[in-house]
Amino acid sequence: MLDRNLIRQNPDLVRVGSKRKGVDAPVDEFLSIDTSWRTATHEWESTQAEMNRVSKSIGALMGQGKKGEAEEAKARAAELKAKVGTQEERAKQLEAQLREIELRFPNLPHESVPDGMRPEENVTVREWGDRPTFAEPPRQHFDIALEHRLIDFERAAKISGSGFAVYTGLGAKLHRALIQFMLDHQVQVNGYDEVYPPSLVLSSSLVGTGNLPKFEEDLYSTKDDLYLIPTAEVPVTNLYRDEIFDGTDLPIKHCAFTPCFRREAGAAGKDTRGILRTHQFEKVELVKYVLPEESYNELELLVVDAESVLQALGLHYRVVLLCAGDMGEKGCKCYDLEVYAPGEDRYLEVSSCTNFEAYQARRANIRFRRGPGEKPEFVHVLNGSGLAVPRLLVALLETFRLSDSGDIVIPEPLRPYMGIGLLTRPK
RNA sequence: GGAGGGGUGGCAGAGUGGUCGAUUGCGACGGUCUUGAAAACCGUUAGGGGGCAACUCCUCAUGGGUUCGAAUCCCAUCCCCUCCGCCA
């Protein structure tokens, strides 16, 4: 959702920004309905004001015992009531139209975001580390996982169907170690406050983050009005729905570990082997609520916080600034972190760090006050993964498997959690 | 699951059909007094929509209804608390 005043006062800005995202925003339609709605609302409220006045006078007249006059006023009020009814209906209908139109507006890309529609037009802003080299062609993660008995794909399919993994033995432990390490790292090194939210949320929470009504087919639902979360962004962003922060408390930074559930309805046949794309995966998420004037600076810091995990693990990666047409509808500016997976010989997205500005805050009604007596303003909300576990695991297995022995070296920061420094290949 | 009780402003807590968007207390903010502070005293203090503005409309959990008029009456839904049962 955009600020209505922005569309009214600066329609061209909205047209141009939307076009950069490849969306033909209904600006003219909005402006026309908006004008009608405001006129209708004004008429409706005027009649209502008169009715309220008459109603109030009845009470006074009754009090003074002027029964006759009170009866006259009652008749007058009844007339006005009928008028209010039709005017209200028209105003409400126009407002509903306006809301429907409003939801078709994408968030506008920031000026620093490059033009483009396709992934190839994204811009790599920096790389870290070197591509690892191997004596023999590096193996792919599902082979390594089988070799070390870290993941049982067959039994996963038996119990849950395709697109799931059962982590076994040291695989399960490594999975858990990554989560523990990332949480501790974000809390202790980067100063995030940990929360553990529910994995089932009401539909109203999904509307707050913009997943509903548009992306219903991506979500798992239940018989109740509860949905499985596609990302911790949903419960964590909604923590403060309808609340007003004290401006001096900002920024507020949360990290959260949750499982994430996605139907991947549009991705059938893509990345079907292994754990590159599964219906359930685990992730540590970072969410920040910040002052509007700080949000772009905070975005850079968010990226650095997410990157620091990859650096600590010693994994080669790149930071990609997404072009306007590839970042999705909700964001203003988005950096992807892509870790290099040698066996796949490609870069895997393990984090999307996005500044939504006030887009989500407006939908979820999350505000702050600069000082006593000041009007509440919408906060800017940012989030990014820090990081997604399965793809990180892929990069880790493929990067640290020694060609000669087949053993896997555990990166130093994970050793306290694993209790060992090397996964030796079972015979 | 059964039986009761309840959801009002930052918090506490009045208000059972008519100047109630709401008495009061606490907190917060501003001021007087003071060298400074405390105390005392005075004042301010919900959110949102529309309008350049005057102003106006909506909101007392949510959605309907009754009425000229609803925080107040009726219906439904949600949430919270207490007791009993059940399960950990």
Side-chain angles (χ1 to χ4, degrees), chain A residues 313-349:
Chain A
L313 294 174
L315 291 167
H316 168 56
Y317 68 88
R318 66 187 185 191
V319 179
V320 177
L321 174 59
L322 299 192
C323 66
D326 193 41
M327 78 166 115
E329 294 216 344
K330 305 187 295 179
C332 290
K333 187 173 185 178
C334 178
Y335 291 102
D336 274 4
L337 262 55
E338 300 182 343
V339 69
Y340 182 69
E344 313 289 326
D345 190 26
R346 60 174 168 139
Y347 288 87
L348 305 174
E349 178 191 332

Side-chain angles (χ1 to χ4, degrees), chain A residues 162-180:
Chain A
S162 69
F164 291 90
V166 174
Y167 294 90
T168 56
L170 288 172
K173 191 167 186 179
L174 184 57
H175 184 266
R176 173 159 54 90
L178 274 171
I179 294 162
Q180 292 258 75

